[in-house]
Amino acid sequence: MQKFFALVPAAGSGARMGAALPKQYLALAGRPLLYHTLKQLCACAEIERVFVVLAAGDRFFAQQDWQPFADRIEPLYCGGAARAVSVFNGLLAVRDLLAADDWMLVHDAVRPCLPADALQRLIDTLRNDAVGGLLALPVVDTLKRADAAGLVMQTEPRESLWQAQTPQMFRYRALLEALRAFDPALATDEASAIEHLGQRPRLVNGDTRNLKVTYPHDLELAALILNSMEKK
Ligand code: CTP
Ligand code: MG
C-alpha cells in the first residue's frame, strides 16, 4: 500500500517581506503563519507525517506551541541556500521512512490558506498516477512582456498558461532523483525537476485562496481568507 507524506520547506528568510522575522513565523490570525499551513496538512487523515524543513540555525520553531498536532509533524534542521536544496535535503533526511513509490506532497510553508477540498482533489486525482502533478490555476490576467525600462514590448497569449501552486505531489524516489539531477537555481518548483527528466506532471485545479505570502499586503489578504474559511 502506497503511503502519503508531506514535506514543507520552511527555511527561507523572507527577503521580499522585509520583516524582522522570516515570514513563516509572522503573526497571522493569532498564530505563526506556519501553524495554519501545518494545521491544514495535518487535517488530512491520509497524510501520515508532515516533515518541516528548517534552516540549520532556526531558533523560532522551537519557541512555538505545536502541541495540537505535535505527533504528526517532524522538524528537520537541514535547510539549504535555495528552496530546491531545502527540499532535496529534507527528502534525503527521511529516506529510511519512505518506500520508493510512496507519495510526497511538497507544500510551501508560506501558503497558509490551502482549502481542504483542493488538497483532497490533488490526492484523489493523482493517487493512481504513474508520475504525479501539482495544483495550478489557468492564467486569468493579460500578460505583458516588458523591457528593462518597464515599457511593454508585446502582449503574450495566455492560452494554455497555468500558474503553479503547491502542494506538488510526486513519487518519493522519482522526486529525489529528479532534484539530484537538476540545478537548484533553476528548480523553482518540484515539477520543473520532474519535467527536466522528460516526465509530464498533471495539472490539477488549484484555488485562488491558496496564495503564497510574499509581500506585506499578502499577509492581510491571508488573514481575511482564513477568517472566511473558518466561518464555513
Ligand atoms: N524556502 C526554503 N529554503 C530556502 C528558500 C525558501 O525552504 N533556501 C521555502 C520558504 O521558507 C517558503 C518556500 O520555500 O516556504 C517558498 O519560498 P519563498 O516564498 O521564496 O520564501 P523566501 O525565500 O523565504 O522569501 P524571499 O524569496 O522573499 O526571500
Ligand atoms: Mg525565495
Side-chain angles (χ1 to χ4, degrees), residues 32-54:
L33 190 156
L34 179 61
Y35 179 95
H36 302 283
T37 309
L38 298 182
K39 184 179 164 196
Q40 264 121 22
L41 292 170
C42 291
C44 176
E46 285 189 271
I47 297 177
E48 308 250 336
R49 274 189 99 58
V50 179
F51 304 107
V52 190
V53 182
L54 304 169

Side-chain angles (χ1 to χ4, degrees), residues 12-16 23 81-83 212 214:
S13 62
R16 285 169 289 181
K23 59 190 174 178
R83 182 184 178 285
K212 184 155 83 94
T214 306

Side-chain angles (χ1 to χ4, degrees), residues 21 25 32 58-66 77:
L21 288 177
Y25 296 114
D58 185 304
R59 274 177 222 89
F60 306 109
F61 186 86
Q63 292 169 14
Q64 315 293 333
D65 175 17
W66 305 108
Y77 289 85

Side-chain angles (χ1 to χ4, degrees), residues 116-209:
D117 61 342
L119 174 58
Q120 200 58 51
R121 184 160 62 243
L122 181 75
I123 291 176
D124 290 342
T125 307
L126 298 175
R127 65 172 76 242
N128 296 317
D129 200 279
V131 177
L134 60 146
L135 289 182
L137 284 176
V139 170
V140 293
D141 291 320
T142 300
L143 297 175
K144 305 290 185 190
R145 185 176 298 279
D147 63 14
L151 296 176
V152 173
M153 292 163 68
Q154 64 193 65
T155 300
E156 299 285 350
R158 67 170 174 234
E159 211 184 16
S160 313
L161 288 184
W162 292 65
Q163 271 179 278
Q165 299 189 331
T166 71
Q168 304 205 351
M169 170 174 162
F170 294 102
R171 305 271 182 189
Y172 172 71
R173 173 59 61 179
L175 182 57
L176 182 70
E177 295 313 326
L179 285 171
R180 198 196 296 280
F182 203 41
D183 177 353
L186 298 178
T188 54
D189 70 352
E190 289 59 57
S192 48
I194 296 281
E195 292 153 37
H196 188 69
L197 294 186
Q199 306 274 22
R200 309 274 307 273
R202 183 170 296 280
L203 298 169
V204 178
N205 260 312
D207 193 301
T208 49
R209 291 171 292 179

Side-chain angles (χ1 to χ4, degrees), residues 63-80:
Q63 292 169 14
Q64 315 293 333
D65 175 17
W66 305 108
Q67 203 276 323
F69 32 79
D71 57 335
R72 305 281 311 282
I73 64 175
E74 190 169 325
L76 307 167
Y77 289 85
C78 61

Side-chain angles (χ1 to χ4, degrees), residues 74-131:
E74 190 169 325
L76 307 167
Y77 289 85
C78 61
R83 182 184 178 285
V85 179
S86 295
V87 173
F88 179 73
N89 290 351
L91 291 175
L92 265 188
V94 300
R95 61 187 174 278
D96 293 338
L97 303 174
L98 277 83
D101 277 349
D102 282 344
W103 288 107
M104 186 60 99
L105 282 81
V106 180
H107 184 49
D108 290 328
V110 294
R111 291 187 190 268
C113 314
L114 171 66
D117 61 342
L119 174 58
Q120 200 58 51
R121 184 160 62 243
L122 181 75
I123 291 176
D124 290 342
T125 307
L126 298 175
R127 65 172 76 242
N128 296 317
D129 200 279
V131 177

